[in-house]
């Protein structure tokens, strides 16, 4: 690629203050992991079977077909190459569809993991191997037309019939129709169905069942099953998100996943050892989503920053050549805080993953003590990072001006593929309120004299540093806004203050003789705010701590600037929180603004190297604008010429509709 | 529709504290205007020729064809019904494509207006009538691959050849290819081309030329013309945004629009009377965009609020029926400030339009004095309202959970159709900096002892109330956060402070021996911030003044709550600005949060009536979720079943790609 490298990009790369490769190793975890990741990725990059048409030019049905074909190829190749490590499979999968999701995604991300977590050994033996090889194509059906995040509201029933030793699955209402599962519409032949379990006349709540929905061989829906595609969406054109209606549909008793809860042949219900055991999977999925938020934002930043280095426009000084738009302070102010955010979230994602593995081991030893905090943290961090990344990806798109709006930028696809993350796996506001519930519990504990530990341990200080109304400057006036540690301290104080305020407001509502539940609802805006402040603190803290682990000085220096920018930017956006109760002074806030501008200038020379370090191996990134070699305009023209609207043989629409108007001419 | 009205919506409507029809009259301007608008709209609603397939189910080429057909129908019907008033044509056009743009849009919004503003009488006679009837289908080509908002950078040339009395139009580089114009790709046969005019060896800057691009009758591109579609975009699937490359292409001298500047047959250039005269059109277009921001946001709010009244989910009190999600404080907090914003922007749009007409008359009398302020205001307001509405529409979508992501909600289409507004007609950041330039000029004037007038007159107070560093509480401590007037005062003080701060920072950069231009760039983040504060003040002020004009008490009461909510919400988002320099006190900010929550509760019973008052006549709003009658789930299931992916006769993809994997079974 170096042969045709755009001159601006070459100059940018030459001028970087650090070696991007070293930063890539940090992001991957080690030089060895970088090497292995590239090895896996090269399998796809060098394989003609993985090339495909530009999906942007295809109809939805065509896109679906391309995706199915590629998924089948992927499965064959993973077998062929003998890749089995979950991380390595993920690297492989990430690259093979570029920015697009795949119809069999849920088979791997939900069907198989659920089978592993909730299936007995016998059940795993029966279904696992075939689903890994896509002989059984599974999906996971939970959401219904009428209910999403509120699981207790789900209406699908599974009623045990001891006579035949079968479960009767039923969709009693329109609102009970399963809705949204990926791959359900056309692709899958099995579904894990979440349904309210009834046995011996009693309801035992949601349980998971393996339900065959299409006949193997003919792929036709089985009798009693109504299944189809839910129609076009903002994105996910490649995926047949589907609906499923079951009409008194019978499955054998053995199809209930029975690792934890069981129904005996006579219909006796045996409850699981602990309800908390499903927490682990949720922490895992949400921690993956934090990493995904980082990754998608990193990709958007890569495109926007490379394009901003290549695009020349307007003038700073009249008469001089047009500058790169990356030289405009407003452009830097749009993009660099987002770049800093992508790095911040990457490290948070790593932390969440490590923590999951640690806790999982603890669970193995019977220790569930840290689960509640982690559950709360993963819920909040999933919401906090996905909301932020969501807005940030769109900001990247809009920073590319008109061309950002074209699919040539790749950015619309990144956005529409990412944005559901704010809704699925727990709607973000609901997630924030779950975190808030933990914060309120912790606050109450502290209030009653007990100590709390982990990420909320800052609440322990509230007793000694209690904020009184009317009292100003209770905090030590010396928060240092020039060090990551000082900024972490500021965020910690803000979180403590907002948690306390929410707790007090909640208490006030209760004292107005409202029921606890009504009081909770009437405080929920404050509760979400408290959770956000808590999550923001965690991000700043983790990013700041990450700096200490970095050996190379030049890498550390540039990451330190990003960490400072991330933290200062957050303060500038929420300055009111820091000014109230005098965590920071007026003049410090003025300094924050000034310091941010200095950091933009400091980061400017390294901006391109900082996105190169993310090391997206697909040089095109699904984007004409963001290509590694930076050849924008010629490529854009070539791309446009192949648009299907240009291929249409004749101007049929013109002759049919417009020419008749022109009778006079 | 009342027959099948959803019970929740019926109850909501019955409980409203005011009569929506009265508010509709205010929004339209008068009861007579409401009547006439509905009369026009009924022409479409009752006409089977305007019914069409759900565009969401069609491929891009099909969508383009439907749009062309409908545009042709529209032109025929407008003739048939004898509609000629521009407002009435706009009502007609707004409804006939629902949420979608049309390929011939630019013929009406740009080609014809430019001909009227810049063409001589003879030129208007030659082209106007045919373009109104779509015999000539015109577009407007300005933006190039390499340049958008920075007009001076455009590269297309028009060189006068006195020998043949022709202009030679040329695209000298790849970056000079005209890019983006709507209808250019396939539909238009003429284009107004903006090009750098060369005559007698000298460049006179940008001028407009009428360029035939396709042969009438055959519709084939003329020799020397390369034209086509620029490819798929985030939205605007129906429109053939196009490219145009001209290879020494000759047009007669008479095709230069010569109302203002002229080129004589011998090549002598005659310059226009005033360069400011083009300001008027820009103010007009940008004022229309402010109204569009209001309208699109109003539509999104209508869908999200109706759906939130119909959707039941989760629980506030255990054991009780699931509440409408509109009863959750977090949902109110997401939607009601946006509803208030839609109203605020509507009134601002009205103000901009009135002002345009007033100034236009002044220009007729030779008075250009108010033009600079209005130019600055329209630039800033276009940016401020489009940015806000853009984020708000997405917030509405996400407030509808999973279903908001489906095209059944209509919200993705509203978003992708609206979002280019942030970029076209002047990229928003550039617009904000234009406003800032005016603010800095005004500040300098005040600083040198002169008074300024109009919306910036608050700057006159700065001399007497000068803010000194380190000095706290210079403002009278008595800003009343419970009245619209008090809040307007607070926003005014904030704007004054941020304008002054930007001016001082600019001065500081200059004093560090930086050139004025470099200093401007290094202050641009502050300058944008100052412009935003100025625009925010203008919105609050206009909304607050609007209240005084309203007769009906119940309508006034509910609009007053919206005005308060809009203003308080803005303060809570930018609390730092109000706390710094003590415009508001800490405890006032705490009150702001409390008061907002009270307003959410107060507005709740009127929420559905407040969106009904927008009176979107197309009951479906392009949305299954937002229908006036609120029948959501059955309609959604019916809609999904007609998805093209469900129509495919066989499971070809399965047999082709997946079945081979299943050889073992």
């Amino acid at each position: 690629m170096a042969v045709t490298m755009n001159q601006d990009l070459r100059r940018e790369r030459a001028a970087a203050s650090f070696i991007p490769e070293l930063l890539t190793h940090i992001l991957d975890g080690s030089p060895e992991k970088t090497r292995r990741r590239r090895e896996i990725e090269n399998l796809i990059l060098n394989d003609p079977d993985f090339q495909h048409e530009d999906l942007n030019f295809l109809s939805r049905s065509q896109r679906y077909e391309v995706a199915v074909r590629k998924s089948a190829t992927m499965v064959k190749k993973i077998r062929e190459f003998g890749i089995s490590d979950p991380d390595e499979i993920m690297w492989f999968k990430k690259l093979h569809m570029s920015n697009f999701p795949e119809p069999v995604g849920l088979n791997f991300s939900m069907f198989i993991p659920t089978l592993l977590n909730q299936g007995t050994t016998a059940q795993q033996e029966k279904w696992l191997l075939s689903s890994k090889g896509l002989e059984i194509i599974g999906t996971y059906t939970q959401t219904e037309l009428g209910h999403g995040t509120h699981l207790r509201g789900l209406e699908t029933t599974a009623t045990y019939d001891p006579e035949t030793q079968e479960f009767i699955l039923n969709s009693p209402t329109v609102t009970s129709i399963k809705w949204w599962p990926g791959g359900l519409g056309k692709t899958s032949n099995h579904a894990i169905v979440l349904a309210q379990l009834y046995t011996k006349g009693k309801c035992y709540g949601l349980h998971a069942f393996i339900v065959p929905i299409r006949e193997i061989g003919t792929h036709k829906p089985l009798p009693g099953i109504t299944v189809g595609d839910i129609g076009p969406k903002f994105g996910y054109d490649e995926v047949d998100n589907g609906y499923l209606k079951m009409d008194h549909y019978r499955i054998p008793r053995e199809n209930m996943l029975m690792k934890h809860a069981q129904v005996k042949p006579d219909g006796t219900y045996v409850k699981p050892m602990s309800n908390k055991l499903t927490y682990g999977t949720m922490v895992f999925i949400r921690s993956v989503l934090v990493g995904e938020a980082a990754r998608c934002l990193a990709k958007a930043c890569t495109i926007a920053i490379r394009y901003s280095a290549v695009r020349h426009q307007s003038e700073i000084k009249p008469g001089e050549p047009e500058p790169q738009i990356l030289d405009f302070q407003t452009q830097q102010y749009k993009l660099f805080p987002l770049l800093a955010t992508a790095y911040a979230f990457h490290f948070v994602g790593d932390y969440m993953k490590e923590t999951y593995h640690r806790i999982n081991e603890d669970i193995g030893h019977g220790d569930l003590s840290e689960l509640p905090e982690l559950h709360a943290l993963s819920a909040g961090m999933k919401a906090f990072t996905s909301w932020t990344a969501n807005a940030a990806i769109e900001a990247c798109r809009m920073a590319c001006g008109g061309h950002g709006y074209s699919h040539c930028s790749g950015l619309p696809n990144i956005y529409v593929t990412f944005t559901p993350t704010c809704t699925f796996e727990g709607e973000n506001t609901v997630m924030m309120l779950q975190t808030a519930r933990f914060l309120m519990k912790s606050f109450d504990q502290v209030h009653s004299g007990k100590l709390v530990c982990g990420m909320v341990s800052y609440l322990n200080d509230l007793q000694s540093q209690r904020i009184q109304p009317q009292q100003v400057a209770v905090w030590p006036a010396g928060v240092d806004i020039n060090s990551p540690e000082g900024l972490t301290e500021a965020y910690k104080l803000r979180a403590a203050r907002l948690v306390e305020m929410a707790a007090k407001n909640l208490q006030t509502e209760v004292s107005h003789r409202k029921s606890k539940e009504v009081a909770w609802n009437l405080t929920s805006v404050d509760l979400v705010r408290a959770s956000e402040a808590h999550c923001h603190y965690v991000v700043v803290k983790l990013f700041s701590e990450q700096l200490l682990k970095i050996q190379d000085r030049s890498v550390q220096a540039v990451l330190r600037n990003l960490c400072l920018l991330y933290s200062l930017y957050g303060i500038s956006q929420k300055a009111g929180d820091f000014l109230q109760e005098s965590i920071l002074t007026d003049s410090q806030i003025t300094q924050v603004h000034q310091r941010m501008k200095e950091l933009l200038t400091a980061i400017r020379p390294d901006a391109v190297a900082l996105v190169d370090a993310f090391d997206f191996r697909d040089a095109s990134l699904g984007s004409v604008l963001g290509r590694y070699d930076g050849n924008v305009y010629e490529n854009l023209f070539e791309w446009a010429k192949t648009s299907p609207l240009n291929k249409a043989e004749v101007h049929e629409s013109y002759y049919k509709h417009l020419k008749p108007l022109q009778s006079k001419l």
Side-chain angles (χ1 to χ4, degrees), chain A:
Chain A
M1 281 177 293
V3 205
T4 57
M5 182 79 71
N6 170 286
Q7 282 191 2
D8 287 310
L9 286 180
R10 194 184 312 158
R11 205 172 40 240
E12 295 288 339
R13 282 165 181 145
S17 74
F18 71 102
I19 300 164
E21 181 78 5
L22 296 179
L23 184 45
T24 304
H25 297 162
I26 292 168
L27 292 171
D28 280 323
S30 72
E32 169 53 23
K33 281 202 175 167
T34 300
R35 193 198 59 72
R36 179 63 181 154
R37 173 176 58 78
R38 287 183 182 157
E39 197 170 63
I40 302 277
E41 290 174 344
N42 284 341
L43 295 176
I44 293 174
L45 295 171
N46 300 331
D47 189 333
D49 285 354
F50 281 112
Q51 306 312 310
H52 62 79
E53 309 86 312
D54 188 324
L55 292 179
N56 292 303
F57 292 157
L58 306 182
S59 73
R60 190 173 165 225
S61 304
Q62 291 168 323
R63 288 168 83 146
Y64 168 73
E65 173 161 1
V66 168
V68 170
R69 174 169 57 75
K70 289 194 71 178
S71 294
T73 310
M74 174 196 72
V75 169
K76 276 184 279 185
K77 300 274 172 167
I78 286 179
R79 278 184 201 162
E80 188 183 320
F81 299 138
I83 302 170
S84 60
D85 178 87
D87 268 352
E88 298 189 351
I89 289 180
M90 210 162 75
W91 293 333
F92 196 91
K93 291 191 60 181
K94 286 257 171 285
L95 208 58
H96 95 285
M97 282 294 290
S98 195
N99 297 334
F100 301 97
E102 55 175 345
V104 298
L106 254 62
N107 181 68
F108 297 99
S109 67
M110 294 293 295
F111 186 87
I112 292 174
T114 308
L115 192 57
L116 286 170
N117 286 323
Q118 299 185 38
T120 61
T121 314
Q123 289 176 320
Q124 294 184 19
E125 270 172 18
K126 181 166 177 195
W127 285 298
L128 197 58
L129 209 64
S130 351
S131 56
K132 277 190 175 171
L134 280 187
E135 292 139 17
I136 279 182
I137 309 160
T139 182
Y140 180 90
T141 69
Q142 180 172 301
T143 306
E144 297 171 359
L145 249 178
H147 288 90
T149 300
H150 181 58
L151 298 184
R152 271 174 312 207
L154 293 174
E155 298 174 78
T156 302
T157 55
T159 310
Y160 186 64
D161 176 358
E163 301 237 338
T164 60
Q165 302 199 3
E166 288 171 321
F167 287 102
I168 306 164
L169 283 143
N170 197 39
S171 314
T173 58
V174 173
T175 46
S176 76
I177 297 171
K178 292 290 177 189
W179 204 263
W180 279 115
L184 174 61
K186 286 183 72 84
T187 314
S188 301
N189 51 31
H190 281 69
I192 288 177
V193 172
L194 274 272
Q196 305 289 354
L197 166 64
Y198 284 86
T199 179
K200 296 193 168 179
K202 210 182 142 187
C203 179
Y204 290 93
L206 283 186
H207 289 73
F209 302 84
I210 296 217
V211 180
I213 56 172
R214 286 188 170 93
E215 193 184 33
I216 307 279
T218 69
H219 207 60
K220 289 205 175 120
L222 291 159
I225 296 289
T226 308
V227 63
D229 176 77
I230 62 163
K233 299 139 296 186
F234 202 6
Y236 272 65
D237 271 5
E238 298 70 27
V239 175
D240 52 324
N241 298 81
Y243 59 79
L244 172 66
K245 198 169 171 307
M246 291 168 294
D247 184 11
H248 300 91
Y249 182 75
R250 286 173 175 266
I251 56 170
R253 187 184 68 91
E254 293 76 15
N255 281 27
M256 172 176 156
L257 292 179
M258 298 216 203
K259 187 171 182 179
H260 305 305
Q262 290 169 46
V263 171
K264 298 280 178 200
D266 70 346
T268 307
Y269 179 75
V270 183
K271 67 175 187 182
M273 299 276 279
S274 162
N275 280 320
K276 287 185 182 164
L277 286 168
T278 47
Y279 278 14
T281 323
M282 278 156 74
V283 172
F284 176 68
I285 293 172
R286 289 174 190 157
S287 78
V288 169
L289 292 179
V290 171
E292 266 303 290
R295 192 186 156 81
C296 291
L297 179 52
K299 202 179 263 191
C301 285
T302 302
I303 294 169
I305 285 176
R306 282 186 190 155
Y307 175 63
S308 298
V310 166
R311 174 86 167 173
H312 290 253
Q313 185 84 175
S314 201
E315 47 193 23
I316 292 174
K317 289 194 190 181
E320 290 192 2
E322 294 183 294
Q324 295 159 278
I325 59 173
L326 203 52
D327 285 330
F328 288 97
Q329 190 185 59
T330 46
Q331 188 76 354
Q332 295 165 7
Y333 186 67
K334 281 178 192 176
L335 295 176
F336 296 170
L338 309 185
L339 177 64
T341 304
Y343 274 96
F345 289 180
H346 178 95
F347 297 128
V348 176
D350 281 354
Y351 170 83
M352 300 293 297
K353 217 156 72 178
E354 281 159 32
T355 307
Y356 164 74
H357 288 302
R358 183 167 57 79
I359 300 297
N360 220 22
E361 266 184 41
D362 290 351
I363 294 176
H365 303 120
D367 176 6
L368 304 180
S369 60
E370 281 189 79
L371 261 180
E373 191 201 333
L374 276 155
H375 177 239
L377 186 65
S378 65
M381 293 312 300
K382 178 266 187 187
F384 184 80
T385 57
S386 63
W387 264 335
T388 307
N390 194 64
I393 292 166
E394 268 298 83
C396 286
R397 181 183 67 73
M398 292 171 77
C400 294
H403 294 316
Y405 185 71
S406 164
H407 276 305
C408 73
S409 72
L411 292 164
N413 282 322
I414 295 173
Y415 181 66
V416 298
T417 308
F418 179 75
T419 190
T421 311
C422 298
T423 309
F424 63 43
E425 298 299 333
E427 195 276 332
N428 277 358
T429 302
V430 178
M431 292 299 95
M432 281 300 189
L433 287 170
Q434 287 191 8
T435 303
R437 208 168 282 279
F438 178 76
L439 293 172
M440 291 303 104
K441 247 184 221 166
S442 304
F443 179 85
D444 285 349
Q445 252 182 287
V446 170
H447 202 68
S448 67
K450 280 180 232 153
L451 285 181
V452 292
C453 58
M455 285 291 184
V456 289
S457 56
Y458 60 84
L459 293 175
N460 294 329
D461 303 339
L462 279 174
Q463 281 302 87
S464 48
Q465 291 187 321
R466 178 149 308 283
I467 306 157
Q468 299 297 339
Q470 316 304 336
Q471 188 178 339
V472 172
V474 270
W475 312 110
V479 169
D480 173 15
I481 60 161
N482 292 307
S483 79
E485 297 73 24
L487 291 165
T488 307
E489 185 65 18
Y491 275 91
K492 180 164 137 181
L493 295 174
R494 170 185 174 233
R497 200 185 73 77
L498 289 178
V499 168
E500 179 164 50
M501 202 183 75
K504 285 184 171 173
N505 288 351
L506 185 60
Q507 199 43 53
T508 307
E509 293 291 349
V510 171
S511 70
H512 290 155
R513 306 214 188 151
K514 278 159 193 154
S515 77
K516 238 175 138 177
E517 294 82 9
V518 170
W520 181 266
N521 185 34
L522 290 173
T523 320
S524 53
V525 167
D526 306 314
L527 290 164
V528 170
R529 223 177 132 202
S531 293
E532 285 179 331
H534 174 72
C535 292
H536 213 152
Y537 154 68
V538 172
V539 177
V540 169
K541 177 184 155 77
L542 292 174
F543 198 170
S544 150
E545 287 171 358
Q546 180 69 33
L547 299 177
L548 306 175
K549 299 180 201 159
I550 291 163
Q551 310 284 325
D552 183 87
R553 284 210 179 181
S554 54
V555 171
Q556 208 210 30
V558 72
L559 278 186
R560 190 173 192 277
N561 280 343
L562 287 177
C563 179
L564 288 171
L565 181 63
Y566 177 80
S567 310
L568 294 170
Y569 182 77
I571 291 176
S572 76
Q573 297 303 100
K574 302 282 181 185
D577 292 352
F578 292 88
L579 281 167
Q580 263 198 304
E581 314 296 340
S582 310
I583 297 168
L584 295 175
T585 64
D586 280 12
S587 80
Q588 280 182 312
I589 293 292
T590 305
Q591 283 168 43
V592 164
H593 286 290
Q594 195 51 40
R595 190 81 186 88
M596 261 201 302
K597 290 192 282 178
E598 291 162 17
L599 285 166
L600 298 179
T601 309
I603 292 165
R604 167 67 187 86
D606 287 318
V608 169
L610 279 166
V611 299
D612 284 349
F614 290 129
D615 196 35
F616 289 108
R617 300 297 307 298
D618 173 5
S620 81
L621 276 164
S623 166
V624 178
L625 295 197
R627 277 178 54 157
Y628 186 83
D629 58 9
N631 287 329
V632 170
Y633 299 113
E634 289 79 2
N635 291 342
L636 228 164
F637 190 34
E638 290 310 311
W639 181 83
K641 282 193 270 186
T642 57
S643 163
L645 222 55
N646 291 328
K647 279 181 195 155
E649 298 301 301
V650 270
H651 305 277
E652 273 180 52
S653 303
Y654 166 78
Y655 288 113
K656 224 151 93 188
H657 308 296
L658 295 172
K659 206 180 173 195
L661 296 172
Q662 303 177 331
S663 46
K664 274 204 283 181
L665 295 167

